[in-house]
């Protein structure tokens, strides 16, 4: 083994005592490939199995916790007990290859396409439309309906219910999806949250909904799972909108989350070494450095963002981040970790090969998204 790769391939023990076989994780990525009824498809199961033998942990694409939270065509469901057999299939496919299976749970909020939710009614913290429109709708200015306090409480409970289903389905953990502009982030953001009740207002009040979900998920885990069950939280550090989440806002959220007894935090950024936009003194300093300083070893941070080569991974780990998620690169080369472990990093493929869909075990909907989205993947 290349001595320079020893760190990323070394074991890592999470705060709850679970040992990961290495420090490399598969990032959650939407694949658009579930069945119309919300069950996982054979192609989806095979896609995950193909990518689960090298990394220590696989975080699934997001699964919605209520019917009005479905954010994508071809997204699998976790909103009712009837979905437990489907969830079990996916958990087993991942675990059989040697990785921990983590179910990412979410609600799309104002980013949901109207055609995917009951009565086409989009909901959010307030009635502020998403600037860029829904995740897959051509109606960029759909105005969401503000959730009532009772509905907010129901959604908090739904995150707990889906966590119980994940436990019953055999997952090793869940990741609360508080990133990428979806409902949890919508409550934290001053752009989308203009509420005047206890779920809105100043920064601390806008944390109420995210923290309530963390508490409910942890309550359910304590009741239904063993201490080894993993609970992670993913967040996006900034928003381009004004008003919007700043790096300074996120550091306050992260400082609070770091004391919540979570198993890990997971930043969502497209470039690992991206710098802060606003809300901090030094906007030339990488966001990852700010996050590591704020967390101060209280909880592990998973870094991510356009890591394709082993050299890029080594540079990322040199910042002090304990865990690293690979996203698009594991679609391009499912054997990335094995190649690093076998001193074959020169054989790592970093650009998508448009002739290799079958060999790469990529479902048709995801493949079509890749080849029709210029710039989304290297080589496309």
């Amino acid at each position: 083994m290349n001595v320079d790769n020893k760190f990323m391939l070394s074991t890592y023990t999470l705060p709850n005592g679970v040992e990961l076989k290495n420090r490399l994780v598969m990032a959650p990525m939407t694949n658009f490939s579930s069945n119309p009824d919300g069950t996982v498809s054979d192609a989806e199961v095979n896609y995950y199995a193909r990518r689960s033998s090298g990394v220590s942990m696989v975080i699934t694409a997001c699964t919605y916790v209520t019917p009005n939270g479905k954010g994508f065509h071809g997204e699998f469901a976790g909103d009712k007990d009837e979905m437990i057999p489907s969830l079990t299939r996916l958990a087993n496919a991942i675990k059989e290859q040697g990785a921990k299976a983590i179910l990412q749970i979410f609600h799309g909020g104002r980013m949901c396409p109207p055609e995917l939710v009951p009565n086409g009614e989009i909901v959010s913290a307030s009635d502020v439309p998403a600037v860029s429109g829904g995740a897959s709708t051509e109606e960029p200015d759909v105005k969401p309906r503000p959730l009532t306090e009772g509905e907010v409480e129901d959604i908090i409970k739904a995150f707990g219910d889906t966590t119980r289903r994940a436990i019953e389905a055999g997952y090793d953990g869940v990741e609360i999806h508080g990133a990428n502009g979806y409902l949890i982030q919508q409550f934290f953001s001053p752009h989308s949250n203009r509420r005047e009740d206890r779920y809105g207002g100043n920064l601390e009040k806008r944390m109420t909904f995210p923290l309530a979900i963390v508490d409910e998920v942890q309550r359910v885990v304590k009741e239904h799972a063993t201490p080894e069950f993993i609970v992670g939280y993913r967040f996006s550090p900034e928003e381009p909108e004004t008003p919007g989440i700043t790096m300074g806002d996120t550091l306050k959220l992260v400082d609070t989350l770091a004391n919540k007894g979570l198993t890990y935090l997971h930043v969502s950024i497209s470039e690992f070494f991206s710098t802060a936009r606003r809300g901090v003194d030094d906007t030339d300093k990488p966001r990852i450095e700010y996050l590591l300083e704020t967390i101060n070893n209280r909880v592990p941070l998973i870094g991510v963002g356009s890591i394709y080569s082993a050299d890029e991974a080594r540079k990322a780990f040199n910042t002090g981040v304990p865990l690293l998620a690979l996203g698009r690169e594991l679609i391009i080369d499912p054997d990335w970790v094995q190649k690093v472990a076998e001193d074959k990093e020169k054989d790592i493929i970093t650009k998508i090969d448009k002739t290799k869909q079958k060999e790469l075990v990529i479902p048709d909907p995801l493949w079509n998204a890749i080849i029709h989205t210029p710039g989304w993947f290297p080589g496309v």
Side-chain angles (χ1 to χ4, degrees):
M1 183 195 301
N2 183 333
V3 67
D4 295 331
N5 296 328
K6 187 172 287 188
F7 181 81
M8 74 174 87
L9 297 172
S10 64
T11 60
Y12 182 80
T13 303
L14 293 168
N16 62 351
V18 171
E19 184 177 271
L20 301 180
K21 65 181 181 182
N22 58 48
R23 295 167 182 263
L24 298 160
V25 175
M26 181 172 169
M29 292 177 286
T30 302
N31 57 60
F32 316 105
S33 302
S34 299
N35 295 317
D37 65 356
T39 57
V40 298
S41 65
D42 292 344
E44 191 172 19
V45 169
N46 294 336
Y47 158 82
Y48 276 105
R50 178 69 182 86
R51 288 161 176 83
S52 298
S53 57
V55 294
S56 62
M57 194 161 70
V58 170
I59 305 168
T60 72
C62 51
T63 184
Y64 53 96
V65 301
T66 63
N68 66 359
K70 185 173 183 177
F72 302 94
H73 289 273
E75 180 185 351
F76 68 101
D79 62 327
K80 51 185 180 288
D81 285 357
E82 288 79 4
M83 290 297 161
I84 292 174
S86 165
L87 296 172
T88 301
R89 280 193 70 204
L90 186 51
N92 288 345
I94 293 168
K95 295 197 298 181
E96 284 168 2
Q97 299 301 316
K100 302 294 183 186
I102 309 297
L103 182 71
Q104 191 186 61
I105 54 178
F106 110 131
H107 189 295
R110 69 180 185 179
M111 299 299 285
C112 293
E115 67 270 18
L116 294 185
V117 298
N119 304 315
E121 186 177 53
I122 305 303
V123 297
S124 184
S126 300
D127 63 354
V128 182
V131 173
S132 56
S136 60
T137 179
E138 295 181 1
E139 301 176 59
D141 296 313
V142 176
K143 182 177 281 192
R145 176 180 64 77
L147 291 158
T148 66
E149 282 198 54
E151 289 173 322
V152 173
E153 291 166 3
D154 288 343
I155 290 175
I156 292 167
K157 182 178 183 299
F159 273 90
D161 290 339
T162 301
T163 298
R164 173 185 54 77
R165 294 178 192 117
I167 294 165
E168 293 180 15
Y171 283 85
D172 298 293
V174 294
E175 179 175 278
I176 300 166
H177 194 354
N180 299 358
Y182 300 120
L183 187 66
I184 295 176
Q185 182 175 323
Q186 288 162 32
F187 270 83
F188 181 55
S189 168
H191 181 271
S192 42
N193 187 346
R194 313 289 173 91
R195 300 175 74 97
E196 296 179 352
D197 62 6
R198 62 195 178 101
Y199 293 105
N202 62 23
L203 179 67
E204 285 71 25
K205 288 185 175 180
R206 294 197 312 275
M207 288 187 201
T208 302
F209 180 69
L211 296 178
I213 289 173
V214 171
D215 289 343
E216 176 65 6
V217 167
Q218 290 179 321
R219 183 193 69 78
V220 169
V221 168
K222 188 173 182 180
E223 181 177 341
H224 294 281
T226 65
E228 291 76 31
F229 193 81
I230 294 164
V231 180
Y233 186 103
R234 198 173 203 208
F235 62 94
S236 293
E238 298 188 71
E239 291 179 326
E241 295 88 357
T242 301
I245 297 168
T246 70
M247 192 70 211
D249 294 339
T250 288
L251 293 180
K252 290 178 181 176
L253 173 65
V254 165
D255 184 45
T256 303
L257 289 171
N259 288 330
K260 292 292 288 181
L262 291 159
T263 319
Y264 69 80
L265 296 177
H266 186 183
V267 64
S268 178
I269 43 178
S270 58
E271 299 290 336
F272 183 91
F273 287 102
S274 63
T275 54
R277 183 183 287 118
R278 58 188 175 176
V280 287
D281 294 334
D282 184 358
T283 53
D284 292 324
K285 183 173 173 177
R287 291 162 168 155
I288 207 81
E289 290 187 26
Y290 274 113
L291 293 168
L292 288 169
E293 288 173 3
T294 298
I295 292 168
N296 193 25
N297 297 315
R298 285 176 288 168
V299 62
L301 176 67
I302 301 178
V304 73
S306 299
I307 303 296
Y308 295 99
S309 69
D311 187 55
E312 289 168 338
R314 288 190 290 268
K315 289 176 181 175
F317 278 117
N318 283 341
T319 64
V321 70
L323 298 164
L324 188 63
L326 301 174
R328 288 167 290 184
E329 177 55 27
L330 286 180
I331 296 178
I332 296 166
D333 191 343
D335 299 315
W336 193 97
V337 179
Q338 293 91 322
K339 288 177 180 178
V340 170
E342 295 167 9
D343 289 334
K344 295 178 180 177
E345 64 180 78
K346 66 181 185 303
D347 297 331
I348 288 174
I349 301 161
T350 57
K351 291 187 178 181
I352 196 79
D353 187 333
K354 296 180 185 178
T355 70
K356 296 285 181 68
Q357 180 191 359
K358 185 175 181 180
E359 292 90 329
L360 293 172
V361 195
I362 298 175
D364 287 342
L366 177 57
W367 185 254
N368 291 333
I370 291 169
I371 63 175
H372 292 122
T373 311
W376 189 26
F377 269 68
V380 174

